[in-house]
Amino acid sequence: MDFNVKKLASDAGVFFTRAVQFTEEKLGQAEKTELDAHLENLIARGDCTKNWTEKIFRQTEVLLQPNPIDNTGARIEEFFYEKLDRKIPSRTTNGELLGQYMLDAAKDFGPGTPYGSTLITVGEYQKRLGGAEREFLQTSAISFLTPLRNFLEGDWRTISKERRLLENRRLDLDVCKARLKKAKLAEAKAAAAPDFQETRPRNYVLSASASALWSEEVDKAEHELRVAQTEFDRQAEVTRLLLEGISSTHVNHLRCLHEFVEAQAAYYAQCHKLMQELQKDLSSANGDSIPNAFVINPSTSGMSVCSPHSVTSLPGASSPSRSLVSTNTLEPETLKIEEVKPPATGTRKAKVLYDYHAADTSELSLFSDELITVYTMPGMDPDWLIGERGNEKGKVPVTYLELLS
């Protein structure tokens, strides 16, 4: 093994001088070379980009995999697949697993029974929803998460490495400046006129010799300073060019963000379509034999929902599948409280948790701890219910209530 003691000692000496310079700067005992304003702005912009990209990346991972503790083993396996440069196998989603459980349960309960046949119908749709989710996760990982990860693990690591090297070059430059300053002060002191009345001529000779030595030291320090300045300027230029590339990174991440939104819109549109089809299948199979006052029935709802095929495309969308569902929200004036009648079934008692003051005549004021009767109507906002107290009636917010059985 080739063990270079001289190089090791030299590196240790450089590290020590940098540490001393850094400490003296922090204590205000040494001067610090400031970077130019443009480079400082680029560094601040780069740090901001890195911090927010990291937060967005982590939170998107949480959005796509909301239970990281449950997926710890899967993530470790994915990590090894990535390091081995192998394709990560597709996994069964929670929706697909739920659908399979429903289908298995239907076999035991009997596919010919009402419950069994409904489990089969719902299970098949749950598996289709799970498949749509898996496709959305894969698309999002490729089009959005991967570019962000590549920036954090690739470009930013290179930028960080060059910035550390720039900081070392700056410390070396300031060390050379301090060394030159000390050498010039010593040279000036040694070059001062000697005392010719000195009874010991030897001191005069030593003074002249010291002046010559310090003159050589100044020349050496000036040469080292020129070299350090050149290396610092070169490294500052390299760092500046890398940081200016952040602008192209923003453009790339903007395109990836559009693709993520389009994939998300297509996924939600597909889920909405599947759920509408499921509701129709259940309605045609069960009819009105199982009423539920707390479920909005699209067939009788006052809310106009467009068909799954009637969607509004996102700007820049490349295909009709990447689209947003357009809905018409229920106008407040269409709900006339005085014309609302409680349903035959579905009314419940609710305990008021907090006082609430009605904002208009369509709402009902609430008092803490009182009991009222509540129910919903087709087309209502899910955050509101119809509340009755004696002869008084009006809309009440769900968050102010505790529904009782």
Side-chain angles (χ1 to χ4, degrees):
M1 179 178 179
D2 187 11
F3 187 73
N4 195 330
V5 179
K6 291 184 178 181
K7 185 177 184 304
L8 179 62
S10 176
D11 293 343
V14 171
F15 176 80
F16 178 74
T17 55
R18 289 173 180 172
V20 171
Q21 176 67 25
F22 181 80
T23 304
E24 290 180 349
E25 288 176 358
K26 292 299 181 181
L27 296 176
Q29 298 175 358
E31 296 181 359
K32 176 181 178 181
T33 300
E34 300 293 340
L35 303 176
D36 63 88
H38 177 60
L39 184 56
E40 289 282 4
N41 291 335
L42 289 176
I43 290 175
R45 185 165 178 254
D47 288 336
C48 183
T49 300
K50 181 261 181 182
N51 292 335
W52 284 113
T53 301
E54 194 170 38
K55 289 182 179 179
I56 292 173
F57 174 78
R58 300 302 178 198
Q59 193 57 36
T60 305
E61 278 192 326
V62 173
L63 175 67
L64 299 179
Q65 294 183 348
N67 298 314
I69 297 179
D70 298 337
N71 294 312
T72 301
R75 289 190 174 186
I76 294 176
E77 184 180 358
E78 291 175 0
F79 173 79
F80 282 110
Y81 272 102
E82 290 178 359
K83 293 303 178 183
L84 296 174
D85 197 19
R86 297 179 61 184
K87 183 179 179 181
I88 301 174
S90 60
R91 302 187 179 281
T92 303
T93 62
N94 292 329
E96 291 175 312
L97 192 59
L98 174 61
Q100 188 60 48
Y101 286 167
M102 288 183 175
L103 294 176
D104 293 341
K107 294 179 182 178
D108 290 341
F109 297 149
T113 63
Y115 186 33
S117 61
T118 304
L119 278 174
I120 292 176
T121 302
V122 177
E124 291 175 348
Y125 275 94
Q126 291 298 327
K127 294 188 71 173
R128 294 171 64 183
L129 289 169
E133 180 186 3
R134 185 178 66 254
E135 182 179 353
F136 167 62
L137 295 179
Q138 293 174 349
T139 303
S140 300
I142 295 173
S143 64
F144 190 60
L145 286 181
T146 299
L148 298 186
R149 183 190 295 110
N150 291 341
F151 168 73
L152 293 172
E153 297 181 356
D155 296 347
W156 185 252
R157 285 187 178 179
T158 302
I159 292 174
S160 299
K161 178 181 177 182
E162 297 300 329
R163 282 179 58 183
R164 288 193 298 270
L165 189 56
L166 175 63
E167 180 65 12
N168 290 337
R169 294 288 181 264
R170 185 196 64 76
L171 289 172
D172 293 341
L173 176 62
D174 288 337
V175 168
C176 291
K177 288 181 179 179
R179 187 177 299 160
L180 177 62
K181 184 177 180 180
K182 291 178 182 179
K184 286 185 176 181
L185 289 175
E187 181 190 26
K189 184 177 180 180
D195 186 3
F196 292 99
Q197 303 300 324
E198 177 66 48
T199 57
R200 292 173 293 180
R202 180 172 175 275
N203 290 341
Y204 175 76
V205 175
L206 291 176
S207 177
S209 176
S211 178
L213 290 175
W214 279 117
S215 179
E216 293 179 3
E217 186 68 22
V218 168
D219 293 340
K220 180 181 178 182
E222 288 178 345
H223 173 72
E224 292 177 350
L225 177 61
R226 288 192 295 270
V227 173
Q229 184 69 56
T230 301
E231 292 180 351
F232 171 76
D233 293 339
R234 184 186 299 113
Q235 186 59 37
E237 181 66 16
V238 171
T239 307
R240 182 185 64 79
L241 292 175
L242 288 174
L243 289 171
E244 286 178 347
I246 294 291
S247 298
S248 61
T249 299
H250 285 186
V251 174
N252 181 39
H253 288 181
L254 174 62
R255 178 184 57 81
C256 296
L257 183 61
H258 277 282
E259 293 181 0
F260 173 67
V261 172
E262 290 175 3
Q264 203 171 24
Y267 166 63
Y268 288 131
Q270 186 176 3
C271 291
H272 178 72
K273 176 183 177 181
L274 290 173
M275 291 308 301
Q276 280 191 322
E277 293 177 356
L278 175 58
Q279 285 181 316
K280 291 179 180 178
D281 289 349
L282 293 180
S283 297
S284 60
N286 299 328
D288 297 329
S289 59
I290 309 178
N292 189 344
F294 283 90
V295 177
I296 298 176
N297 188 350
S299 62
T300 59
S301 173
M303 180 171 59
S304 174
V305 182
C306 73
S307 67
H309 303 285
S310 177
V311 294
T312 304
S313 298
L314 277 173
S318 58
S319 64
S321 62
R322 295 181 175 180
S323 54
L324 288 174
V325 178
S326 174
T327 60
N328 295 327
T329 57
L330 181 66
E331 297 295 335
E333 57 270 20
T334 60
L335 181 63
K336 297 182 180 180
I337 299 299
E338 62 273 8
E339 298 178 0
V340 174
K341 296 181 179 180
T345 60
T347 59
R348 298 177 65 177
K349 289 292 183 180
K351 179 182 178 181
V352 179
L353 300 176
Y354 320 102
D355 291 343
Y356 175 75
H357 299 287
D360 52 45
T361 56
S362 66
E363 297 179 4
L364 178 66
S365 295
L366 303 176
F367 303 99
S368 178
D369 296 331
E370 71 170 329
L371 294 178
I372 62 173
T373 301
V374 295
Y375 51 90
T376 187
M377 297 299 294
M380 279 192 63
D381 189 327
D383 294 332
W384 293 81
L385 295 172
I386 301 296
E388 285 190 359
R389 180 181 55 234
N391 296 327
E392 296 179 296
K393 181 189 303 183
K395 294 190 300 181
V396 293
V398 176
T399 54
Y400 282 70
L401 304 175
E402 177 186 355
L403 297 178
L404 305 177
S405 58

